[in-house]
Amino acid sequence: MSRITLNTIKIKPNIAELQDVPEDITALKYVILEPIGFPININGENLKVSVDNHDLFNVYARDQWANEVIKEGEYLFDGTLIPDYAFKVINTHPKEGGLITRNTFFKLKTARTHDNKLVKNVKFDEVIGQNEAKKKCKIIMKYLENPEIFGEWAPKNILFYGAPGTGKTLLARALATETDVPLYLIKATELIGDHVGDGSKQIQELYEKASSSKPCIIFIDEIDAIALSRQYQSLRGDVSEIVNALLTELDGIHDNDGIITIAATNNPDMLDNAIRSRFEEEIKFEAPNDEDRLKIMKLYMGKIPLNTKNINLKKYVEKTKGMSGRDIKEKLIKPALHKAILEDKNSIEEKDLDIILNKLKGGKKEPLHLYA
Ligand SMILES: Nc1ncnc2c1ncn2[C@@H]1O[C@H](COP(=O)(O)OP(=O)(O)O)[C@@H](O)[C@H]1O
Ligand SMILES: [Mg+2]
């Protein structure tokens, strides 16, 4: 808790009257601010601010800063509730800066504090291959930065599908890392509650929460857990209320402009047709090709704390055919690391990899006896 006490709310002077603004200054479309703190510290503490309601923050921000001319790197000081509290301008559109108007859109960049924890440390570069999906993510990011140019052609509901372990969840994490907007990640299995109505309520609440922090992204992982085609529903029990709640949101019956829903599944063919038809685009995650597998091996070999320089990874391109990104990481590299640690070695050799791969090929159903 901060010991800094806030001034009682000041009635601020009338909003700056329209000043004479040179005509050649462009109006800013959006400004991204980062809360910095007070220029001087009192008792060594500083205040951390965050925003739950972005619409409200926009009104607040425009009220005090309309007519200011700013550019990236400059500071805006709060003149209202927490006088002298500094916000740094970390991004504007247009890039070269300009005039804050009543239509400028503000966003506060803060450490994300969503209920749905997301490990935010994956960059797009660390998702190997999957170029179509990455391209789509870039479009989504462009839209979130500048929704106006998209108008009614905004991206909305997108389905990621493909074999398990090909990077669907990984790409969601990268998207969360690389974009400034909130990303709500939910696993569809978590929506199946003990009582009928639990799941649909959670969906409504999720979209309501998202609605207060627009623009933002909702990622529904493993959507087949709830949106199963009716012919398979006996597997999961009755989830029709969840399906209906989701359909309502995907249709945008509520004002869902600025909320992008991405869903992921390993089994698109098992999806409920009504749900499936709501996705404007289905993007396939491909099994990694030769080049991708080499890159995946390089990526993760580079991350392990042992010496791997004696390994010629090119030899393993062919040997790992048919393996997914997850297989390579979890079934080849991880066991190799564990084996080396167990044997007190500080390096991994090709023969270690060969032993593991042979065992994998040999008895698929057998548990691995790597240390025998
Ligand atoms: N294309 C890829 N590039 C890099 N690593 C990958 C890739 N695909 C899978 N992995 C690795 O496998 C793990 C599991 O993948 P994940 O994204 O959970 O697969 P999916 O959600 O498609 O089943 C990832 O966390 C990552 O370590
Ligand atoms: Mg997944």
Side-chain angles (χ1 to χ4, degrees):
M1 278 293 283
S2 171
R3 271 180 274 129
I4 299 165
T5 41
L6 296 183
N7 280 4
T8 42
I9 300 174
K10 280 186 188 166
I11 307 293
K12 63 190 176 68
N14 272 342
I15 301 161
E17 297 296 326
L18 269 174
Q19 298 156 0
D20 287 335
V21 177
E23 277 182 3
D24 54 346
I25 292 191
T26 27
L28 288 171
K29 279 201 171 139
Y30 75 81
V31 175
I32 299 176
L33 297 176
E34 183 180 14
I36 297 291
F38 294 106
I40 48 170
N41 276 4
I42 310 161
N43 299 335
E45 292 209 25
N46 221 322
L47 200 63
K48 300 260 178 297
V49 307
S50 63
V51 161
D52 290 328
N53 183 331
H54 287 262
D55 289 341
L56 199 58
F57 180 70
N58 266 280
V59 176
Y60 178 74
R62 287 171 192 154
D63 244 28
Q64 54 183 327
W65 296 316
N67 296 328
E68 300 244 10
V69 175
I70 50 143
K71 63 173 187 294
E72 201 179 296
E74 291 182 345
Y75 293 92
L76 287 168
F77 289 94
D78 198 320
T80 310
L81 200 55
I82 33 178
D84 300 333
Y85 189 91
F87 294 87
K88 188 170 187 180
V89 179
I90 56 171
N91 203 348
T92 62
H93 184 85
K95 202 86 195 125
E96 58 282 4
L99 176 75
I100 298 172
T101 72
R102 290 256 145 210
N103 295 320
T104 301
F105 187 78
F106 281 87
K107 215 159 54 182
L108 194 67
K109 184 181 173 157
T110 43
R112 245 163 255 140
T113 51
H114 299 308
D115 314 348
N116 305 303
K117 275 187 249 103
L118 257 192
V119 193
K120 279 189 43 202
N121 51 7
V122 185
K123 300 267 185 198
F124 275 133
D125 300 350
E126 292 178 60
V127 184
I128 308 298
Q130 315 311 0
N131 292 328
E132 279 309 303
K134 279 194 268 182
K135 229 186 277 168
K136 191 73 191 182
C137 288
K138 300 235 161 90
I139 294 178
I140 291 171
M141 287 169 73
K142 291 257 184 238
Y143 165 72
L144 295 169
E145 281 169 11
N146 195 0
E148 291 84 3
I149 59 170
F150 283 82
E152 63 188 285
W153 288 277
K156 192 123 198 68
N157 306 321
I158 295 135
L159 185 69
F160 286 172
Y161 74 98
T166 47
K168 298 181 291 296
T169 306
L170 184 73
L171 187 61
R173 285 166 48 202
L175 193 58
T177 310
E178 303 243 8
T179 170
D180 284 330
V181 310
L183 187 145
Y184 299 92
L185 178 84
I186 188 146
K187 260 202 178 145
T189 40
E190 292 165 5
L191 292 169
I192 305 173
D194 291 337
H195 306 285
V196 174
D198 281 358
S200 51
K201 200 159 141 247
Q202 277 196 63
I203 298 246
Q204 279 157 14
E205 281 170 4
L206 177 67
Y207 277 83
E208 261 165 37
K209 195 152 56 142
S211 190
S212 67
S213 50
K214 285 192 290 193
C216 67
I217 304 166
I218 291 180
F219 189 91
I220 305 176
D221 211 353
E222 297 167 16
I223 191 174
D224 41 297
I226 50 163
L228 269 183
S229 164
R230 309 218 185 268
Q231 67 189 109
Y232 301 107
Q233 264 181 23
S234 57
L235 295 174
R236 292 275 150 68
D238 187 9
V239 285
S240 52
E241 44 100 18
I242 308 182
V243 172
N244 288 338
L246 189 59
L247 279 174
T248 309
E249 302 299 345
L250 294 178
D251 277 346
I253 287 179
H254 302 135
D255 175 20
N256 284 349
D257 278 358
I259 302 180
I260 293 181
T261 304
I262 304 175
T265 178
N266 302 333
N267 307 308
D269 296 331
M270 286 173 84
L271 280 189
D272 178 86
N273 266 335
I275 294 270
R276 189 168 178 181
S277 69
R278 272 16 179 231
F279 292 96
E280 68 198 19
E281 200 172 341
E282 297 185 353
I283 296 175
K284 181 163 185 205
F285 277 59
E286 303 286 349
N289 62 22
D290 292 357
E291 194 188 325
D292 294 339
R293 290 197 306 286
L294 184 61
K295 283 191 191 156
I296 291 173
M297 286 189 280
K298 277 191 183 149
L299 175 70
Y300 293 114
M301 284 288 187
K303 286 189 177 202
I304 62 177
L306 298 182
N307 185 348
T308 57
K309 68 174 187 312
N310 291 333
I311 301 174
N312 177 2
L313 286 176
K314 289 206 175 109
K315 284 191 200 164
Y316 291 87
V317 169
E318 195 54 37
K319 293 180 183 181
T320 53
K321 220 178 182 76
M323 291 174 85
S324 69
R326 181 192 278 136
D327 291 341
I328 291 174
K329 187 179 170 199
E330 301 288 329
K331 294 188 181 162
L332 177 61
I333 297 182
K334 191 162 144 180
L337 172 70
H338 288 185
K339 185 172 186 295
I341 291 173
L342 204 66
E343 292 169 5
D344 287 324
K345 296 196 305 187
N346 54 14
S347 66
I348 296 178
E349 311 296 330
E350 290 182 0
K351 68 174 183 341
D352 299 319
L353 298 182
D354 290 331
I355 291 172
I356 292 165
L357 286 171
N358 282 335
K359 295 211 168 170
L360 275 178
K361 254 193 230 137
K364 276 218 153 107
K365 301 234 158 52
E366 301 277 311
L368 288 178
H369 297 295
L370 298 175
Y371 316 117

